[in-house]
Amino acid sequence: ACGGGVPRLEGRCHCGAVGWEGVGEPAVTFYCHCSLCRRSGGAAFVAAAAFKPENVVFHGEADMREYTPPNSRVPRRYCKKCGSYVAEDARPVLGLFALPIGLCSGPIDDKFKPRQHIFYDSRIVDVGDDLPKWVTMPDGPRAA
């Protein structure tokens, strides 16, 4: 969705109690295959757009809870009411919030679509697209 010419990505949890807006261009977009994201989202991988903190607005924060998985420095945010995974607070490692685009209610602008796969060596399913696939992060080696 766009408002006033500024790109805007909007998402809400299943029950609608909490949500977020990513305003402007995302810093990075990706499909994450790490075990933490898979378990957080209950899917084979999580599609996300990551934004600088100043470009993210959270709604219903009183109804959010945070959980930091063991062996992680990155807390995840969930709706207290319906349990939906709503965001990853990747500020400790990347300085960004990762927002799962699966929470959007309709088609998203191309600028928010994932452009790469990260932690691809942790995948549980192969993905047959032409996007770059990284062993871990884009500053490391590509997956075979």
Side-chain angles (χ1 to χ4, degrees):
C2 293
V6 176
R8 182 178 306 272
L9 186 68
E10 299 176 38
R12 296 206 76 67
C13 67
H14 186 70
C15 74
V18 301
W20 45 253
E21 294 175 56
V23 181
E25 298 283 335
V28 64
T29 61
F30 55 85
Y31 294 107
C32 185
H33 296 263
C34 81
S35 63
L36 298 174
C37 282
R38 291 195 327 262
R39 289 183 179 124
S40 294
F45 49 86
V46 171
F51 292 84
K52 293 178 181 176
E54 61 268 23
N55 294 343
V56 176
V57 177
F58 287 102
H59 303 288
E61 286 189 88
D63 286 321
M64 286 186 195
R65 67 175 178 81
E66 278 195 353
Y67 170 72
T68 304
N71 302 317
S72 176
R73 294 180 295 158
V74 181
R76 270 86 173 152
R77 293 185 179 187
Y78 299 85
C79 175
K80 287 180 185 177
K81 293 183 176 182
C82 67
S84 294
Y85 168 53
V86 295
E88 176 183 272
D89 184 351
R91 289 178 297 175
V93 294
L94 299 174
L96 304 168
F97 279 108
L99 307 176
I101 63 174
L103 298 182
C104 298
S105 62
I108 62 170
D109 191 284
D110 282 349
K111 68 179 54 61
F112 301 121
K113 292 182 180 174
R115 301 274 185 246
Q116 60 197 321
H117 294 266
I118 61 174
F119 294 96
Y120 195 70
D121 274 13
S122 296
R123 70 190 178 280
I124 58 171
V125 296
D126 291 333
V127 178
D129 62 28
D130 293 328
L131 296 175
K133 295 170 176 72
W134 303 99
V135 170
T136 56
M137 296 293 283
D139 58 355
R142 284 196 181 214

